[in-house]
Every structure is written in structure tokens, then in C-alpha cells.
Amino acid sequence: MTSHDFPRFPEGFTFGAATASYQIEGAHDADGRGPSIWDTYCREPGRVLNGDTGDVACDHYHRYREDVALLADLGVDSYRFSVAWPRIQPTGTGPANAAGLDFYERLVDELLAADIAPAATLYHWDLPQALEDRGGWRVRETAERFAEYTALVVERLGDRVDRWITLNEPYCTAFVGYAIGRHAPGTREGRGALAAAHHLLVGHGLAVRALRAAGAQEIGITLNPDRLLPATDTDADRAAVRRAETLHNAVWLDPLFAGRYPEHEAETWGELADGSYRRDGDLDLIGEPLDFVGVNYYRPTTVADAPHTDPDPATRTAVDVRAAESMRDDVRRTTMGWPVVPDTFTDLLVDLVRRYPTLPPVIITENGSAEADTVAADGRVHDTDRVAYLHDHLTALAAAIEAGVDVRGYYVWSLLDNFEWAYGYDRRFGIVRVDYDTLERLPKDSYRWYRSMIENHRKESHP
Ligand code: FCB
């Protein structure tokens, strides 16, 4: 690919790279960090591929300087990382553990010295285990604790971090964690998952207020809205898409950006969606104005009707999630099994703005691909499939901007190969390879491609 192939972005558009605490930090018991639900989940036999855990991960906790140097060499404007709640409050409540805050302060200062703007996610799934023991996101108390934790973090870092993301993909926390059980805490509940979804949004609203009170500049939430396509043009499959729209998208987008709870929730969940976890005033709280919405996008989902075979209504949510996972087989797939269909990225964004006219500006907070990388005889990783994936998705993003969607930035997932949740270290998303025996970092061809693309953007914006 030559520089002529680089998609063009508006002046001021920012490029970055993203990671998350549990996936890269390691140092699971260093400096007073308490256990998170992922530490527990990884230790349960059969949960994570090959029995992998985040105990060491990329050891970013000790190697953050080297990783910031990689970011600096990459030339990104911004770095998205997440703060591990159990480093700040080992049991999820009470005063801050100073050593935990110190780590993020060192990281932020290192970034600023390299002229990279820090973007902090407050919750990327590592809930303190002690809070899960008290009900986790099923209970409202966790939302309140989340706001207290947020206040502690912004008090220390608010003078240096401008961009804040409250939650990462609450869909995964609520439904993959509490309904399908493929993520921590790994339960299969219907009502519990719906209550978790609501309390995550309440926690988000409370955190937004805490951030505003502390004078934070740019506040948003990261969602993973899905581009859902019916498997066939039958009424049954179209109805399945409507249910999947509720489950994947409307649950979050309606209360956040339309001041209402989703229209089709009764059709989707029946008596499980009884709203018993809602309180007056919650919609106002959840609808606190935001400066941006973070969008993570990887792949579309083809949905076919799959009648409930599970007679137990308590697990019906989980059944609906499974129904939503049938996929098209006429395209290339990544090693996640995810179909590569870049123009669905354009369609998703255009449709999002059409459906939610008051949507704030969009920032793509994750996009990338897992590939079967190998180190070639020349000592390099020639990850041509990943380069093509990034090129085609950035081109699709530029098309969405061209079509009028206000997108301000893009973060590639991920800077490093890392702990890919239930897939452990088996699936590699990094533009930098990590050798898990030596922890050595090796930039891949995709890293060099992304660097050239950023360079090209700068040249064109400031010739
Ligand atoms: C997203 C997660 C991120 C990473 C990518 C591949 O759902 O936010 O942590 O695992 O998928």
C-alpha cells in the first residue's frame, strides 16, 4: 500500500491507541491492589482458554515507560488506558490507596512529557471482587461506589487528564458477564443482567456528575453498538433483529440519548424487564449531557430467529444473546471468528446519527483485528491482514465523516498483544507483538503502517 491509499481525515482529527488495565498491567497484587472479578474468574477451571490469567500479562505496570516510548515513536496524539478500580480501592470502598494512584500519575506524567494526551477509562471490567460479593452491578450500591471511586481518581489526575470515559462497553459487563457467563463474574441470569444494565447506566450518570463537579473537560461513555443484519428477509428474522437491537443498542442509547427506556423491551424480555430496579429521576441522571460518545466497532452481526429452547425465563436473556450470534460466512474472518465487512462501519455510524439526532460527537475508542501473527525469518511480523483491516476500516470511517457524521478521533485496538479475556493470550490484537516468555515488544508491520498514516495526515493538515 502506498501513501496514496491513506484515507483522509479532517484537520484536528486525533489518532490514538488503546489498552485496558487488566489486559496489560499484570502486577496483580503489587502495591496493595485488591482482587478483581477477573482474578477470581481466571482461577476457576475451564473459564479462560489455556487457564491463562492476568497475573503478569504484559507487565505494563513495570514497563510503562517502554510502552510510552512506543506510543511516542508511533506518533499518536492520545493514549487510551483504563484505571484499575482495585488498585485505587482494593475492596471497592473507603479511602484511596495512594500507591495505586501513584502508578497512574507516573503513567500520565510520562505521557504528557511525550506530548501524548491521556484518555482515561474508569471502568474496563475489573470490578473489585469485594463489591461483587455484595451483589456487583445487580445492586444499586455498586453504582454509588463507582461515583466515589471516580471522585478519588479525578481529584488526583483531573489537572492532567482532559478526556474521561466512564464505562467501557456496559453491554459486555451486563450481558456477557451476567447473562451468557463468558466474562466475569460468569453467571447466567435474566433479571440480574437487566438490573446490572440499569445500574451501570446509573453509575455512569453519577460518575459524570462527579467528573463535572471536579471540572473535567471532556466526558463520554464507550459503547459497542452493533450493526445487526437479518439472516433472511422473513418476518421472524426481522423480529429477531428488533430484539437484538434492544439488547445490543437501545438499552444504552435510548436512556443516554433519547430520554426513554427502550420501546421493545417487553417484546424482548417479557416479564423479566419489570423495571423494579428503576427509580424516579434515573432517566435525568443517565441523560446527563456528554461531550462525546465512544464507539468500539469490530464487526457486524447477522441475526436469525432462534426460538427459545430454554424453558426457564430466568435465563431467557442469555438465550437471546446466543440467537444474535449467527454470522455470515461469505467473508474473511479474523482469528476471533469475526467477519470482516468494513462498509458496515460506515452504515452503523450514519444510522446512529439518524436514529439519535442529539448524539454528541463520536470518538472511535476501539477498532482492530486479531490475526494469526508469526515472526518471519527476517525477525519481523508481516501482518498484512491486519494492515488491510485497518486501512479498510479507516477508509469506511472517512466515508462516514464525508456523509456528515461528526467523528473526532480514532484509537486502534490495541497497542500491545494482551490478555484477550476468555481467550487468554491466544488471540493477538496488538500492533506491537508481545513475546509472553520474555515480555519483549516487537512492532509489527501494522504499527509502521499506522505511523505512516498518521504522518501523512499531519503533512496534509499542515503542509
Ligand atoms: C472489546 C473490549 C476490549 C478488547 C476488544 C477486542 O470488546 O473492550 O477490551 O477485548 O473487544
Side-chain angles (χ1 to χ4, degrees), residues 222-249:
T222 281
L223 304 174
N224 54 325
D226 223 328
R227 183 71 185 156
L228 298 153
L229 310 166
T232 68
D233 198 26
T234 57
D235 285 350
D237 282 356
R238 273 187 272 114
V241 166
R242 213 161 46 235
R243 295 198 299 277
E245 278 286 351
T246 305
L247 169 70
H248 287 260
N249 300 340

Side-chain angles (χ1 to χ4, degrees), residues 19-20 23 80 124-125 168-169 172 183 222 224 296 298 336 338 366 413 418-421 429:
T19 63
Q23 296 181 273
R80 175 182 177 227
H124 202 126
W125 308 351
N168 178 71
E169 298 190 4
C172 290
H183 279 177
T222 281
N224 54 325
N296 292 353
Y298 292 91
M336 294 297 281
W338 295 350
E366 290 180 24
W413 183 272
N418 60 45
F419 175 80
E420 180 43 41
W421 309 114
F429 273 93

Side-chain angles (χ1 to χ4, degrees), residues 10 42 47 61 87 97 121 142-143 147 149 162 200 210 225 258 296 308 329 332 337 399 402:
C42 288
R47 294 293 209 177
Y61 191 78
R87 288 199 194 282
N97 168 35
T121 305
T142 298
Y149 147 72
D162 288 340
L200 281 154
N296 292 353
H308 294 153
D329 53 13
R332 187 180 88 77
E402 190 68 23

